[in-house]
Amino acid sequence: MKAPELSPGPDNSGEGAGLVKSAGIVSASIAISRITGLLRESVLSWLFGAGATYDAYVLGYRIPNLARELFAEGALSFAFVPTFTRYLATKSHEQARELSNITATVLLVIAGGFCALGILLSPWIVDLFAPGFEAVAGKSELATTLVRTMFPFLLLLALAAQAQGVLYATHRFAVPAVSPAIFNLVSVSSGLAIGYWLAPRLGFSMVLGMAAGVVVGGVAQLAFLLPSVWRAGFAWRPRWNLKHEGVLHILGLMGPAVIGNASGQINVLVNTNFAAGLRDASGHVMNGPVSWLAYAYRFFVLPLGIFGVAIASAALPRIARSAAHRNFVEFQEILSRSILMILLLTVPASVGLAVLGESMIGIVYQHGKFLASDTHQTALALTCYAAGLAGYSVLKLVAPAFYTLGDSRTPMFISLAAVLVNGVAAFAMVRITGFGHAGLALSASIVSTFSSLALLFLLRRKIGALQGRELMLGLTKIIGAAGVMGLLCRGVVMASHALLGTPSIARAADIVIGVPVGALSFYGMAAALKVPELANARTQVLRKLRRSA
């Protein structure tokens, strides 16, 4: 495929500095959100452990979240941010505000109707996602109640996703990135208040109280975002115009995006079905695999958000602006630098999760009803998820890059191909190799890696070279530095458990000693190998420190 005509565009020598700064703001904000998310999961592990109740809660929470990723935060964000950014770059503020108002109104109607339909069809949805729950008395019924309670969360998240898109496009990164922390804190505090205070008086269970807290947290997150949207000049006014050029463009991009995201949800459906139906040695359906995967995924999204999502969120408006001005030299430069920055951060993070993951999980989760066996099984899943961290992070950047070019079909076709890859991988991992729930996590890593590589190959054909030689050389150096880091961290773990004996103390030593040892050793090796993005990031940090001083 012929590359688009290149435009020299403006000098972008400061683009790397701006990207590092924006990514740093988003990364710090998302770190707060992810840490509060771990706090929320820690409370849930203490209350419910990793058994039938939490399995049902995970499904109840997951279904509206899958719908959100399918229609709202996924397809909408991919289609809305590039289109809205184009309006900001090439049209008036009033025209951009009109687009924002119509999009929010359409979203309110569509997501609201979808919520009503989901509440009505909850029993059938639970049977579709987790037919294995029927084998455990009361588990399917509890999951249905929790789905109905939490489904309004979809509407709140859809509106929050549109508000976040407005703020990201106007280069206001901190508030949308930290808004999930508001959700986490409010959902867990209100859930505990409802569960401990109202539940005994009204005759419902603690887990239902925590489910109600999710909806309260969604309200709080949206309320936190709206003032910043208003200050940016985009206060919502109800408008309905499905013939608006920008709305038609968004809907046109969303069609293939919904299909592409639907394929991703098919993968989740397949893996949830496998996990819900896993059996123990005696042939009984197990309580726990769904929970182990959910707890592991919460740890996995910590570096994914801090590094992958942060860099993608900071880079996407810049990429969209370059595409709007047809400046593909700048487009290639920003994309390549962003990918290398993602690899620099996620490759060592994945090694750290694999080596230190069990100690982290034990410290955060192993209390109350969460047992040592749950810690081990969750750590196995985390190790397998970690293998796909770099691929999943790059995917968060490369897939939206196609949307900035007005191409939503290519990500759709790759997502459809990923359904086949996931089905084969999940079947092989569970039925042939017998890897169980850990195999399902590994199949997710295989799919994310396949998807990111396929999209990179097709993007290169679409816009030309992406500095592939520099990326491969940088990746090789990063893997070498991460390998040394992994060996040193493993040595710390072996020494602490041999010398200290007591698991809780040894795990604390693993983290207190292992994390700084790992970070310093990786930094030293990467600096010695002259990884280019490391020098750029160091320059920005030192410049910031000098300014502060």
Side-chain angles (χ1 to χ4, degrees), residues 16 23 64 92 140 142 218 227 267 309 323 351 370 384 407 437 448 464 483 523:
S92 68
S140 184
L142 176 59
N267 293 340
V309 175
V351 174
F370 199 92
C384 295
D407 179 3
H437 72 289
S448 63
Y523 174 82

Side-chain angles (χ1 to χ4, degrees), residues 6 115 119 126 142 156-157 178 194 214 220 233 281 287 319 325 361 393 407 448 453 470 502 511 530:
L6 300 179
C115 280
I119 291 171
V126 170
L142 176 59
L156 298 166
L157 280 178
V178 83
I194 295 170
V214 167
N287 284 320
I319 292 172
H325 290 296
I361 291 167
S393 299
D407 179 3
S448 63
L453 290 175
E470 290 80 0
T502 306
I511 305 305
K530 298 182 180 179

